[in-house]
Amino acid sequence: MSFDFESNSYLYGANETYLAQMYARYLEDPSSVDPEWSEVFRDLADDGKNVLGEQQGASWAPRKTSVIGGNGDAPSMSDVTAGVERQAYPANMKGMPFMPMAAPEQIRQATMDSIRALMLIRNYRVRGHLHSKLDPLDILKPLPHSELDPESFGFTNADMDRPIFINYVLGMESATLRQIVKVLEETYCGKIGVEFMHIQEPDEKAWIQERIEGIRNRTDFTDLGRRTILERLTQAEIFETYLDRKYTGTKRFGLDGGESMVPLMEQIFKRGAQLGVDEVIIGMPHRGRLNLLANIMRKPYRAIFSEFQGNTANPEDVQGSGDVKYHLGTSADRDFDGNSIHLSLTANPSHLEAVNTVVLGKVRAKQRQKGDEQREKVLGLLLHGDAAFSGQGIVPETFDLSQLRGYRTGGTIHLVVNNQIGFTTSPSFSRSSPYCSDVAKVVSAPILHVNGDDPEACVHVARIAVEYRQRFKKDIVIDMWCYRRHGHNESDEPAFTQPIMYRHIKEQPTTRALYAKHLEDEGLIEKGEGDKVLQNFRAHLDSEFEAAKSYKPNKADWLEGRWAGMQLASGDARRGETGVDLGLLQEVGYSISEVPQNFQVNPKIVRQLNAKRKMIESGEGIDWSTAEALGLGTLLCESIPVRLSGEDSQRGTFSQRHAVLIDQSTEDRYIPLSNIRYGQAPFEVIDSPLSEFGVLGFEYGYSLAEPHSLVIWEAQFGDFANGAQVIIDQFIVSGESKWLRMSGLVLLLPHGYEGQGPEHSSAKLERYLQLSAEDNIQVVNLTTPANYFHVLRRQMRREFRKPLIIMTPKSLLRHKRCVSALSEMAMGTTFHRVLWDDRHRTKELAKDSDIRRVVLCSGKVYYDLAEERDKRGLKDVFIMRMEQLYPFPKKALTSDLERFNNADFIWCQEEPRNMGSWFFARERVEDVLEDIGAANPRVNYVGRPEAASPATGSLRRHTMEQEKLVDEALTLPTKKPVRAPRKAPAKKSVRVKRS
Ligand SMILES: Cc1ncc(C[n+]2csc(CCOP(=O)(O)OP(=O)(O)O)c2C)c(N)n1
């Protein structure tokens, strides 16, 4: 049919925006548009809603403008939505001409055609990925989808060649339906499937649409670019086959089948570097890791071969357990077209995906170090397997952190190396969602699915991903469909479980072979040239293989860069200088008890602030949270930044901290510790999302990258850290030994038996003690604010870093005896690993030789014991506190216990016998007793009996249990123990006043 668009100018203007606006109006009030339009819309019925009703989604919708506010940091997602200004619809759509009353039927038909074509186009944008050809094995075929069928929109075969006016949508003014469908298929259904219509932000959606539609979602590569891709594929493939030949059957978790990962990643670095990225922190699983180390990080092939020959990755004299080669990290500088970029691969354990937030924490720390406020210089890049990506809970936690003020890093690029299998499990058993990447939709991240056997498409999506990230500072996912040529590892037989898939794989030429043939067919390379590239590379590997025989790593890669100047931990007491000039303590003390004028603090907090002020004025009665603020505040004044994150940490779970004060009329925020003095270091205190695994990983990562900040993670109650056990076991306690990576991270774990039930009593102290070995961590269970002050400061006042696990109190936060004097924090004072009985200081106890019992304990139970002991007026019971359990202060305890030559010794704890510190302490205390030649070198247990659950749910029962154990600890035998002749001490111990 011939239809004169030009002469029907009203229809010429019938572009998408126009129609959408009018349709919206029609939905509100059908009589507000001309009756002819009303009739068209009525005929469209629900279809109209899909295409025209979605004002936010469609590219023709009124554009929104995001209002970005704040202080350099972009607002959260909800801030953005709140700040959106909507473009108003014209007040009255009436009068927008439709057609003359006596309109010819053909005009009406043409309008309907336009609208239906727009609906079809929109559906391709939404669902086109379902038609895309993603599976290189061609087993998973795209299914026909009714929403992508022109027939569903009322078009028949006869309509295919009729011109339809679409007003420059898809870059065409008008086209036949056949042409429209062809363009749509090319753009949305080729080797790339794009999911982006779920994005909430119109700008982002429009950007992706424009980025892909204009060029039919394809990059035209230069000849050099294509040759480079071939070269990278060759390196990737031949490296694996070479290892396979030389070390047949040795586990390497090869990349075979996913080789396009190499050119894809290189493109991220290259384009990223052009867009201002100068550092990329990478996290990845085992699969393809050696390939990445060699071909991307440029770890010498000879070094890798040497490790395959059984040699260690580090020089012989470097301590530590080491790790398998496919977990190791490394870093390298690469140059892309004159832009230098630093690449750092984070070491990780076998636990899939656990490294995700560790990487984010590192990125955040690096961004701060570089003053990268726009978050465009340092990029996080996470690689995932398909099964792990959809299966592991840490993945949504990672996405959840992506836009949060305290954790955002300006967007992570996620690359799923989707080999369509997880060990032996097929996707249909492994997830309920269609794609493994669906989890990324929790943050509306765009998802670019791509066929791994089309390396050009892979490089193309990599380019889009990094451009998107740099522009919008949000996460984006590339889902690269590939296959795994061998079993889960190289000695597995995959045909046991996936025989059909593996028959296909056997027949499947490699990605390199396919691409070499493609370039030959296109005449870019000569016949056989691909093989020549391959032989050259193999010859290079041969020479590296020879060199590996005499290869010796010359230095371990640690304590460099930011860590330069740090040393291995040594010595016994390791106190560090933690005492502080009284003047500074007072300066900090006064600033944490003051608020600006006119700042309306909640009256209850006013009382707390006044109390704090009094503590500082009198120098007495410093409570736990004040000591904490003094510890942190003095560090800040010494130019040491502090970062504290945890659930409700700003206020404090027990309403004790109030690190952020809220104005009661405006909700303005005031942070006293950020306002001590001009030039102090920055203080961050962050209410974290309700996650332990993700957030603890993040803070650990931060501490890896930043030894010069105090980094603290706080659990709401100590036992909730069990959700982060992977980070504790596999990173915090073992990272230094496995990977030579120190961390000074502090964990605050509220602990103590106060009748609050099984889950709020125990921070599972026993776990940390069981994990203690080889000087890996420090575990403390403190009883005084001064000791807390010192232990926090000690963390930063030494030349090494060790993770510090602190059992923190709950009831002691407000216990009248749990206070310290300012003088206990002053210059010359220090942390004490063992604390003597307070009544000893005041000379209220019998002399040492008359002490009949020494009760050794740790933590809050000290106060229960001391109170009852005082009530009973006992003078011959000495209560000794083990403030630090690991490293066990053997030397100090030896000199502390040898004074009591007429006493028996008990270990008293409030935890059940199979928990707490008994198992850990018993052997060590008895060692000491033997050393000092104690009459009775056994230490007896007093505490709750073995139990399955950490504590009772009944307060009454708790109280009875607690009274019983205190009573038992303080009940002396009626007869004096017969003294055995004293043995000579095994070693001369040094006597110190307090340790
Ligand atoms: C948390 C965790 N659970 C189980 C394993 C054991 N495991 C190692 S690899 C693997 C399959 C992973 O599949 P996928 O994520 O698709 O990656 P692929 O190995 O296929 O590259 C499993 C289950 C593990 N390493 N980590």
Side-chain angles (χ1 to χ4, degrees):
M1 98 169 219
S2 68
F3 178 68
D4 181 4
F5 287 98
E6 295 289 333
S7 62
N8 289 282
S9 57
Y10 52 87
L11 188 57
Y12 196 73
N15 59 25
E16 297 157 310
T17 313
Y18 175 95
L19 288 171
Q21 290 177 351
M22 191 147 35
Y23 183 67
R25 201 75 199 163
Y26 162 81
L27 287 179
E28 272 172 27
D29 174 10
S31 68
S32 65
V33 301
D34 276 322
E36 292 84 353
W37 280 116
S38 176
E39 217 173 290
V40 171
F41 293 142
R42 197 178 51 241
D43 288 353
L44 284 169
D46 278 352
D47 290 339
K49 277 201 189 104
N50 288 340
V51 65
L52 297 175
E54 198 220 33
Q55 289 296 317
Q56 300 211 351
S59 66
W60 55 80
R63 291 282 154 81
K64 291 180 190 173
T65 342
S66 308
V67 179
I68 308 289
N71 45 11
D73 257 347
S76 68
M77 300 265 281
S78 53
D79 295 339
V80 172
T81 331
V84 156
E85 285 172 11
R86 286 172 191 279
Q87 179 180 314
Y89 299 120
N92 187 359
M93 288 284 176
K94 260 201 167 153
M96 291 209 176
F98 176 70
M99 57 191 81
M101 284 310 279
E105 178 53 27
Q106 64 195 103
I107 297 181
R108 178 190 165 76
Q109 179 65 47
T111 310
M112 293 293 279
D113 278 357
S114 297
I115 293 174
R116 289 188 175 125
L118 294 177
M119 287 158 62
L120 182 66
I121 292 169
R122 181 185 181 277
N123 274 12
Y124 264 90
R125 289 172 181 150
V126 178
R127 305 232 187 278
H129 57 91
L130 296 174
H131 267 190
S132 54
K133 294 143 202 85
L134 300 177
D135 181 7
L137 302 174
D138 209 21
I139 301 174
L140 217 65
K141 301 214 186 323
L143 294 172
H145 197 289
S146 63
E147 291 180 18
L148 300 176
D149 183 354
E151 254 186 50
S152 308
F153 299 91
F155 292 115
T156 64
N157 247 347
D159 299 325
M160 292 304 284
D161 295 309
R162 195 168 63 218
I164 295 175
F165 182 77
I166 50 171
N167 199 30
Y168 294 106
V169 174
L170 301 170
M172 299 183 291
E173 181 187 4
S174 73
T176 64
L177 193 59
R178 194 178 304 284
Q179 289 165 327
I180 292 173
V181 170
K182 180 169 179 288
V183 169
L184 289 170
E185 286 282 326
E186 277 172 15
T187 307
Y188 287 105
C189 311
K191 300 288 179 70
I192 300 171
V194 185
E195 285 189 272
F196 71 110
M197 292 294 276
H198 56 278
I199 299 177
Q200 309 276 342
E201 300 300 320
D203 291 0
E204 293 169 30
K205 203 155 48 173
W207 184 88
I208 292 189
Q209 193 173 299
E210 279 160 27
R211 183 71 181 78
I212 61 181
E213 286 188 353
I215 53 168
R216 307 281 181 263
N217 208 6
R218 220 188 51 223
T219 298
D220 283 326
F221 288 89
T222 61
D223 290 352
L224 177 64
R226 296 164 111 194
R227 278 176 191 279
T228 310
I229 292 175
L230 178 62
E231 213 172 276
R232 297 288 175 267
L233 291 174
T234 307
Q235 289 168 350
E237 178 187 320
I238 304 310
F239 174 69
E240 297 291 355
T241 51
Y242 196 86
L243 286 176
D244 191 46
R245 200 151 51 85
K246 295 288 184 191
Y247 308 102
T248 313
T250 307
K251 272 192 210 173
R252 63 187 153 84
F253 298 105
L255 183 59
D256 321 59
E259 289 88 348
S260 289
M261 179 189 97
V262 174
L264 187 159
M265 287 183 74
E266 292 240 319
Q267 179 61 208
I268 291 177
F269 305 141
K270 184 179 158 122
R271 185 73 184 127
Q274 287 167 355
L275 297 174
V277 176
D278 63 22
E279 183 158 3
V280 183
I281 316 284
I282 307 165
M284 75 175 299
H286 49 283
R287 174 106 28 233
R289 194 181 183 102
L290 295 176
N291 215 308
L292 178 134
L293 284 172
N295 291 321
I296 295 181
M297 309 291 289
R298 304 276 162 94
K299 176 167 176 171
Y301 295 111
R302 62 186 68 183
I304 296 176
F305 293 150
S306 160
E307 287 167 40
F308 267 90
Q309 287 159 15
N311 300 318
T312 57
N314 289 314
E316 302 277 317
D317 58 338
V318 173
Q319 296 168 346
S321 63
D323 200 349
V324 290
K325 42 194 168 297
Y326 39 84
H327 289 164
L328 297 177
T330 192
S331 62
D333 290 310
R334 291 277 315 267
D335 183 274
F336 291 93
D337 305 333
N339 297 314
S340 166
I341 193 162
H342 184 72
L343 306 176
S344 158
L345 174 65
T346 307
N348 61 268
S350 150
H351 199 115
L352 291 166
E353 304 289 343
V355 78
N356 291 1
T357 57
V358 176
V359 166
L360 301 195
K362 284 177 75 176
V363 172
R364 174 96 176 188
K366 297 266 180 176
Q367 288 174 340
R368 180 174 272 262
Q369 282 159 20
K370 292 184 186 215
D372 182 13
E373 281 179 15
Q374 300 307 314
R375 310 197 185 284
E376 59 194 10
K377 293 185 184 156
V378 189
L379 164 71
L381 171 59
L382 291 177
L383 275 67
H384 314 269
D386 50 312
F389 197 51
S390 60
Q392 290 292 303
I394 185 73
V395 176
E397 288 192 30
T398 307
F399 282 113
D400 189 39
L401 292 179
S402 68
Q403 292 299 315
L404 296 180
R405 231 161 281 219
Y407 307 89
R408 63 178 143 230
T409 53
T412 301
I413 298 181
H414 300 265
L415 167 59
V416 186
V417 179
N418 177 356
N419 56 23
Q420 309 185 68
I421 192 166
F423 211 139
T424 65
T425 305
S426 298
S428 61
F429 287 92
S430 148
R431 59 176 186 260
S432 296
S433 60
Y435 291 112
C436 64
S437 53
D438 287 315
V439 59
K441 290 185 183 162
V442 296
V443 290
S444 298
I447 297 159
L448 308 170
H449 306 281
V450 61
N451 184 321
D453 260 0
D454 186 338
E456 289 186 11
C458 291
V459 173
H460 169 73
V461 296
R463 203 176 164 86
I464 294 177
V466 74
E467 288 171 3
Y468 173 88
R469 188 275 177 191
Q470 287 301 88
R471 187 181 176 103
F472 295 106
K473 308 288 159 48
K474 288 189 174 173
D475 287 30
I476 183 163
V477 178
I478 300 170
D479 172 26
M480 187 185 85
W481 288 46
C482 50
Y483 56 91
R484 191 187 69 195
R485 187 163 288 279
H486 305 290
H488 170 62
N489 63 55
E490 288 64 29
S491 54
D492 266 352
E493 171 50 87
F496 287 155
T497 49
Q498 276 79 15
I500 296 179
M501 186 187 205
Y502 275 82
R503 271 203 294 279
H504 275 81
I505 290 174
K506 223 173 186 170
E507 301 299 316
Q508 182 79 359
T510 65
T511 311
R512 176 201 57 79
L514 288 171
Y515 192 60
K517 175 155 186 330
H518 171 68
L519 295 190
E520 278 175 16
D521 292 348
E522 296 242 313
L524 178 70
I525 59 171
E526 293 187 0
K527 229 175 167 35
E529 199 181 325
D531 289 342
K532 220 177 285 159
V533 178
L534 185 154
Q535 279 149 16
N536 288 345
F537 183 61
R538 209 173 266 154
H540 175 61
L541 290 184
D542 279 336
S543 71
E544 288 289 298
F545 184 77
E546 278 311 306
K549 292 177 180 159
S550 56
Y551 178 80
K552 291 251 174 303
N554 58 7
K555 70 177 181 57
D557 126 51
W558 72 331
L559 304 183
E560 290 173 354
R562 199 80 183 160
W563 287 84
M566 288 284 161
Q567 293 169 9
L568 281 176
S570 61
D572 180 51
R574 303 174 181 180
R575 294 168 196 280
E577 280 188 16
T578 56
V580 174
D581 177 70
L582 214 52
L584 177 57
L585 286 169
Q586 284 162 345
E587 180 188 347
V588 175
Y590 288 129
S591 41
I592 57 165
S593 47
E594 275 165 10
V595 289
Q597 261 189 348
N598 301 328
F599 191 92
Q600 287 181 37
V601 189
N602 182 294
K604 289 181 188 157
I605 298 180
V606 172
R607 282 204 294 277
Q608 286 191 17
L609 295 182
N610 289 340
K612 271 189 210 305
R613 199 180 170 82
K614 281 204 189 100
M615 292 172 204
I616 304 300
E617 278 166 0
S618 66
E620 294 296 331
I622 311 283
D623 65 8
W624 199 271
S625 55
T626 307
E628 176 187 271
L630 291 170
L632 304 184
T634 49
L635 287 172
L636 293 169
C637 293
E638 290 162 3
S639 301
I640 297 172
V642 175
R643 177 182 164 92
L644 161 60
S645 101
E647 288 154 23
D648 309 291
S649 286
Q650 295 187 345
R651 190 202 73 171
T653 295
F654 312 102
S655 211
Q656 83 281 17
R657 182 172 291 125
H658 296 292
V660 178
L661 301 173
I662 310 292
D663 184 291
Q664 298 298 290
S665 57
T666 62
E667 289 203 357
D668 282 349
R669 296 148 61 84
Y670 177 73
I671 305 178
L673 280 175
S674 295
N675 290 284
I676 307 169
R677 59 159 78 156
Y678 179 75
Q680 68 167 83
F683 172 59
E684 272 190 292
V685 55
I686 304 153
D687 284 347
S688 80
L690 215 166
S691 140
E692 286 79 23
F693 191 174
V695 176
L696 181 57
F698 189 100
E699 303 310 337
Y700 171 76
Y702 198 104
S703 74
L704 285 182
E706 185 45 279
H708 304 298
S709 287
L710 179 63
V711 187
I712 306 174
W713 176 74
E714 181 175 56
Q716 187 114 68
F717 283 93
D719 60 326
F720 293 128
N722 55 17
Q725 199 65 41
V726 178
I727 299 294
I728 294 163
D729 289 353
Q730 306 197 2
F731 290 91
I732 295 175
V733 304
S734 53
E736 184 178 337
S737 175
K738 290 191 289 194
W739 311 314
L740 306 180
R741 288 292 176 270
M742 284 184 181
S743 157
L745 181 65
V746 178
L747 271 62
L748 302 183
L749 307 178
H751 175 78
Y753 280 59
E754 280 136 11
Q756 289 187 46
E759 268 68 72
H760 289 109
S761 299
S762 173
K764 304 278 184 188
L765 172 60
E766 61 278 4
R767 284 198 184 149
Y768 299 94
L769 295 176
Q770 191 185 36
L771 291 168
S772 301
E774 296 186 293
D775 198 10
N776 58 342
I777 54 174
Q778 309 159 94
V779 184
V780 299
N781 190 13
L782 309 176
T783 59
T784 72
N787 239 7
Y788 182 41
F789 167 91
H790 285 293
V791 86
L792 288 174
R793 287 182 50 78
R794 184 180 77 161
Q795 199 64 357
M796 301 308 294
R797 304 284 303 176
R798 298 178 302 193
E799 284 169 340
F800 63 88
R801 297 288 178 261
K802 289 274 173 205
L804 169 64
I805 317 294
I806 308 183
M807 301 287 124
T808 55
K810 295 166 292 168
S811 63
L812 293 194
L813 294 169
R814 297 182 174 80
H815 194 289
K816 62 181 186 317
R817 288 176 75 153
C818 183
V819 290
S820 299
L822 211 52
S823 58
E824 291 174 88
M825 304 169 197
M827 221 46 146
T829 59
T830 180
F831 177 69
H832 298 294
R833 293 169 296 168
V834 182
L835 278 181
W836 294 358
D837 199 310
D838 283 331
R839 294 284 177 243
H840 179 82
R841 195 165 32 148
T842 49
K843 303 203 170 16
E844 292 169 80
L845 292 183
K847 59 181 196 294
D848 290 351
S849 55
D850 289 338
I851 293 293
R852 292 179 59 206
R853 167 160 292 177
V854 175
V855 180
L856 287 151
C857 65
S858 181
K860 174 220 135 206
V861 73
Y862 167 76
Y863 290 101
D864 297 344
L865 290 164
E867 214 161 288
E868 184 61 23
R869 188 264 322 266
D870 293 353
K871 219 191 286 168
R872 295 185 187 187
L874 298 173
K875 304 282 183 214
D876 48 5
V877 175
F878 190 105
I879 310 172
M880 184 82 82
R881 284 165 278 177
M882 300 292 301
E883 298 280 294
Q884 176 170 302
L885 289 155
Y886 191 82
F888 191 75
K890 182 175 178 187
K891 214 158 141 184
L893 194 65
T894 304
S895 63
D896 287 337
L897 292 189
E898 67 185 358
R899 299 158 29 199
F900 304 106
N901 45 20
N902 285 321
D904 68 359
F905 298 90
I906 65 157
W907 184 268
C908 178
Q909 66 176 33
E910 48 186 4
E911 301 88 349
R913 189 183 176 108
N914 53 326
M915 302 177 194
S917 41
W918 165 240
F919 274 111
F920 174 85
R922 178 184 191 167
E923 202 177 276
R924 289 168 174 81
V925 173
E926 287 185 350
D927 253 10
V928 169
L929 295 180
E930 283 209 2
D931 279 1
I932 62 175
N936 181 359
R938 301 294 305 272
V939 57
N940 292 317
Y941 174 79
V942 172
R944 287 181 168 80
E946 283 184 359
S949 165
T952 170
S954 143
L955 181 60
R956 204 162 59 90
R957 201 168 131 197
H958 157 81
T959 310
M960 278 163 49
E961 287 173 1
Q962 197 78 4
E963 283 170 2
K964 182 165 177 285
L965 71 91
V966 168
D967 175 63
E968 219 177 295
L970 299 177
T971 305
L972 295 165
T974 41
K975 273 203 210 158
K976 260 188 157 187
V978 184
R979 272 199 65 200
R982 190 167 179 156
K983 284 188 243 160
K987 273 182 250 154
K988 185 91 190 106
S989 48
V990 184
R991 191 173 175 93
V992 285
K993 191 159 181 286
R994 274 190 176 193
S995 45

